[in-house]
Amino acid sequence: LLFAPRSWQLPSRVGLLAPIQVTLALVVVCAAFAAELYTDPTFAFMAAGFAAIAAANLAQATPRIVARALTMMLVCAPTLRLIQVLVSSPAELTRGLDKLIEGRLGLLSLCAGCGASYGALPPAALPSSRKLLVVAYFACAVTCCAFVLHARTGDERMPSFEMLHAVLPTVASVLAAQAVSYSSLRQDAPPSATR
C-alpha cells in the first residue's frame, strides 16, 4: 500500500476555480521574476506567497487555508511596502521607483492575478464582506504608500502610477472574479434557492 498509485486530481471541495488559481499564481510569479521585481522585498514577498498558495492548491489544501494565506498576503504586502517607504532614504526610494516603473507589467500582472485569485475564492472559504474589507485595506495602504513616497521624493509619477498599476487592477479583478463566481454559484443552485 505504500507504493500504491495515487490520484492527483483536485478534490471536489476545491471546486473548478482551483486550477484557475494555480495557473494565475504561476503566471504571476513568472511575470514578477521576469520583470526583475524580485529585488524589492515587498514583491519578493508577494511572489513567494503566490508560489506557496499554488503549492497549497496542488497539495489539496482546504479552501479556508488558501483564503487565509491570500488574506495575509494582501494585508502584509502593502504594510511591508509602507514600512519600507518610511524607513528608506529618498535616494533609495527614487532608484526603487525607477526600477518599479521599468517592471510595471510585472506589477500589473501580480496585482491583477492576486486580485482575481482572491475574488474567485468560494463564499464558504471567505465571506464576501471580508473580501471587500481586505481589498479596501489594500487600496488604502497602497494609496497611503504612494502619497508618502511622493512626499518624500517629490516625484510626480508616484500617486498616479500606484493607482493605475496596483490599486485599480487589484480592485477591478477582485470585483470581476467575485461577480463571475457569484453568477456561477447562482446558476449551480437549485431553482428554489434562487428565489
Side-chain angles (χ1 to χ4, degrees):
L1 293 176
L2 186 60
F3 297 106
R6 295 187 179 156
S7 172
W8 286 97
Q9 295 177 354
L10 292 173
S12 62
R13 67 172 188 238
V14 176
L16 298 173
L17 299 175
I20 295 169
Q21 289 176 333
V22 171
T23 304
L24 280 174
L26 295 175
V27 166
V28 165
V29 168
C30 292
F33 279 98
E36 295 184 9
L37 292 176
Y38 61 89
T39 57
D40 188 305
T42 303
F43 299 107
F45 171 77
M46 286 184 73
F50 239 57
I53 291 165
N57 271 329
L58 290 174
Q60 302 177 357
T62 64
R64 285 188 169 206
I65 291 174
V66 174
R68 288 177 183 157
L70 270 170
T71 301
M72 290 301 296
M73 193 172 62
L74 280 173
V75 169
C76 293
T79 306
L80 177 65
R81 177 76 175 145
L82 184 58
I83 292 168
Q84 180 187 11
V85 167
L86 289 171
V87 299
S88 297
S89 70
E92 290 174 343
L93 292 175
T94 303
R95 279 192 306 272
L97 179 58
D98 291 338
K99 190 169 201 166
L100 189 64
I101 288 175
E102 288 175 12
R104 65 185 172 273
L105 294 178
L107 174 66
L108 186 80
S109 61
L110 185 69
C111 291
C114 187
S117 292
Y118 195 66
L121 289 171
L126 190 68
S128 298
S129 59
R130 288 193 186 158
K131 285 183 199 176
L132 296 177
L133 185 64
V134 169
V135 170
Y137 173 80
F138 178 85
C140 290
V142 170
T143 303
C144 181
C145 176
F147 281 104
V148 168
L149 201 141
H150 172 67
R152 295 205 57 218
T153 62
D155 197 326
E156 294 294 328
R157 303 173 288 179
M158 195 50 195
S160 61
F161 177 80
E162 284 283 333
M163 298 305 252
L164 290 175
H165 291 84
V167 174
L168 187 63
T170 303
V171 172
S173 60
V174 165
L175 294 177
Q178 179 112 5
V180 168
S181 66
Y182 179 73
S183 66
S184 68
L185 285 174
R186 300 238 338 148
Q187 288 176 356
D188 293 342
S192 63
T194 58
R195 292 182 187 168

